[in-house]
Amino acid sequence: MRDPEATLRQHDLPVTAQRIAVLRAVSGHPHATADDLTASVCGDLGTISRQSVYNVLNVLTDKGIIRRIQPADSPARYEDRIGDNHHHLVCRSCGRTEDVCCAVGEAPCLKAHSHHGFKIDEAEVIYWGTCPACQKKKRS
Amino acid sequence: MRDPEATLRQHDLPVTAQRIAVLRAVSGHPHATADDLTASVCGDLGTISRQSVYNVLNVLTDKGIIRRIQPADSPARYEDRIGDNHHHLVCRSCGRTEDVCCAVGEAPCLKAHSHHGFKIDEAEVIYWGTCPACQKKKRS
DNA sequence: TCATTATTTTTGACAAAGTCCAAAACTCGG
DNA sequence: CCGAGTTTTGGACTTTGTCAAAAATAATGA
Ligand SMILES: [Mn+2]
Ligand SMILES: [Mn+2]
Ligand SMILES: [Zn+2]
Ligand SMILES: [Zn+2]
């Protein structure tokens, strides 16, 4: 994120210290949880309420400025890499989350075979596996 | 599920009324939540504790007798259609969940492009959209 | 610049989904 | 039918997030 303040103005959002700090935290910590981000913002602003973190994350997500991903058995994670339809690779044991480029490119990147009359707008793909560190731990 | 009791014995699980009832409920209500299943079991057994429903669902899932799916913004859902690597199509507004055959067939059905050294064991795909009923509601 | 007004932030209660724990009930092999 | 080992139960607890009302702040424009 080049300029959080400009980004907020571009989306007609009043500029506040909390919004700037959360936006910077999301930028600097891809796939972080609300808790991670709260910690990061506190190290920056000194303090922020839990509710404000959720408020800001919700409004930024609604505006499409950031993206929320919600893998099973994990609190929601956030990132500012948007618009490229990329997917995620998640470690089953430690939750480490990595970006995976979409092979197809444009969304929705997969056609559902039998779609039951649904109007499909997204094909969400999560690759599940074990990260290198956790593979080592398991073997030892 | 032909014979819940036999299935339990095949997996060395003591046969209990609760397990049989939950297994039958999962069979009869694909993609039901723990709450849905509790209601269904109560109509069958008369009563069951909330904890038992979770106990049974967990042990059945661990043994691979049933499968758990956890779409965003929904409690976990369960099904006994396993081993065919099928995917799901979920309505964003009402949560209706339908099966979608996997185009590829065997798991993992997609190769991650850049896999960061992870050992991938599953490619989970969820198609998000709007079901016919909710499309109609939105238009009107 | 400063007052006004709408928006945001904060605090604290609340809710949903699920887990932990210990006591009571049950299953199953002998 | 007994006894050991599981399972079930009820209740407290945890995690992640939302709701609501009061206090603080940002934008507007005189
Ligand atoms: Mn990402
Ligand atoms: Mn299914
Ligand atoms: Zn890991
Ligand atoms: Zn629907």
Side-chain angles (χ1 to χ4, degrees), chain A:
Chain A
M1 179 77 37
R2 346 321 164 85
D3 185 351
E5 190 169 331
T7 304
L8 292 170
R9 292 197 200 286
Q10 275 159 32
H11 288 84
D12 290 313
L13 288 173
V15 174
T16 68
Q18 290 83 351
R19 283 175 175 166
I20 292 174
V22 169
L23 204 33
R24 253 207 287 267
V26 172
S27 251
H29 304 83
H31 312 131
T33 65
D35 252 23
D36 299 337
L37 295 168
T38 302
S40 168
V41 168
C42 282
D44 180 359
L45 241 55
T47 178
I48 191 174
S49 72
R50 210 166 59 102
Q51 184 62 55
S52 286
V53 174
Y54 282 108
N55 285 349
V56 172
L57 290 172
N58 285 342
V59 71
L60 295 179
T61 303
D62 289 349
K63 291 278 185 178
I65 299 169
I66 63 176
R67 176 178 168 199
R68 174 190 288 129
I69 59 181
Q70 295 170 265
D73 300 318
S74 163
R77 294 166 182 274
Y78 297 86
E79 65 184 345
D80 69 345
R81 180 174 162 185
I82 50 165
D84 68 342
N85 189 44
H86 73 270
H87 301 305
H88 292 99
L89 173 51
V90 181
C91 175
R92 285 192 194 278
S93 62
C94 74
R96 183 179 149 194
T97 304
E98 295 293 340
D99 290 331
V100 175
C101 290
C102 175
V104 176
E106 72 199 66
C109 58
L110 296 170
K111 275 269 161 239
H113 215 227
S114 158
H115 59 49
H116 298 85
F118 279 56
K119 208 178 115 200
I120 298 175
D121 60 73
E122 182 190 353
E124 175 189 9
V125 180
I126 297 184
Y127 298 93
W128 291 96
T130 312
C131 76
C134 289
Q135 286 174 50
K136 220 173 278 180
K137 244 178 280 166
K138 221 181 279 177
R139 268 197 300 276
S140 63

Side-chain angles (χ1 to χ4, degrees), chain B residues 9 14-16 34 50-51 54 58 75-76:
Chain B
R9 291 196 200 286
V15 175
T16 68
R50 207 167 59 103
Q51 185 60 56
Y54 282 110
N58 285 340

